[in-house]
Amino acid sequence: MRISFERTGGFAGITKKTSLDTDTLPPNEASTLVRLVEVADLFRLPEHITSLNPQSDRFQYKLTVEDNGKQHTVTVSEAALPGTLRPLIEWLQVTAQKR
């Protein structure tokens, strides 16, 4: 499984990007990533998830997951982040900071 993660927006407008591949991650991180993608049910989420009340200086997240020949991209605003997706986003942010 490969995942590309991009966070844009926020007060400073700084973009952060990272790409991860379960084949190159330590086994515990690879299994965590797979589990979080499954819990988020990412492949069933719509391509765009927006808030009814957009707020300036909020983050925007873009995730692209490739797994077993399937690919799906989800773009979601921080204000509209589904609870099932939050653990994956938080884990990706922490992991991106370590790299």
Side-chain angles (χ1 to χ4, degrees), residues 56-68:
S56 60
D57 297 330
R58 297 300 293 258
F59 291 118
Q60 183 93 353
Y61 304 103
K62 181 177 180 182
L63 300 114
T64 300
V65 177
E66 298 173 48
D67 189 33
N68 294 323

Side-chain angles (χ1 to χ4, degrees), residues 1 31-45 82-89:
M1 175 185 295
S31 64
T32 297
L33 178 58
V34 169
R35 183 179 51 79
L36 290 171
V37 168
E38 288 173 357
V39 167
D41 206 6
L42 198 105
F43 282 96
R44 291 180 178 236
L45 292 175
T84 58
L85 190 54
R86 186 173 303 279
L88 175 60
I89 296 289

Side-chain angles (χ1 to χ4, degrees), residues 14-81:
I14 297 172
T15 297
K16 289 191 176 190
K17 294 181 184 181
T18 193
S19 294
L20 302 169
D21 189 324
T22 55
D23 289 341
T24 59
L25 287 172
N28 63 325
E29 289 185 14
S31 64
T32 297
L33 178 58
V34 169
R35 183 179 51 79
L36 290 171
V37 168
E38 288 173 357
V39 167
D41 206 6
L42 198 105
F43 282 96
R44 291 180 178 236
L45 292 175
E47 290 183 29
H48 297 281
I49 304 171
T50 57
S51 172
L52 296 176
N53 301 315
Q55 301 168 354
S56 60
D57 297 330
R58 297 300 293 258
F59 291 118
Q60 183 93 353
Y61 304 103
K62 181 177 180 182
L63 300 114
T64 300
V65 177
E66 298 173 48
D67 189 33
N68 294 323
K70 298 184 298 184
Q71 180 176 319
H72 186 60
T73 299
V74 174
T75 303
V76 58
S77 68
E78 182 180 29
L81 194 60

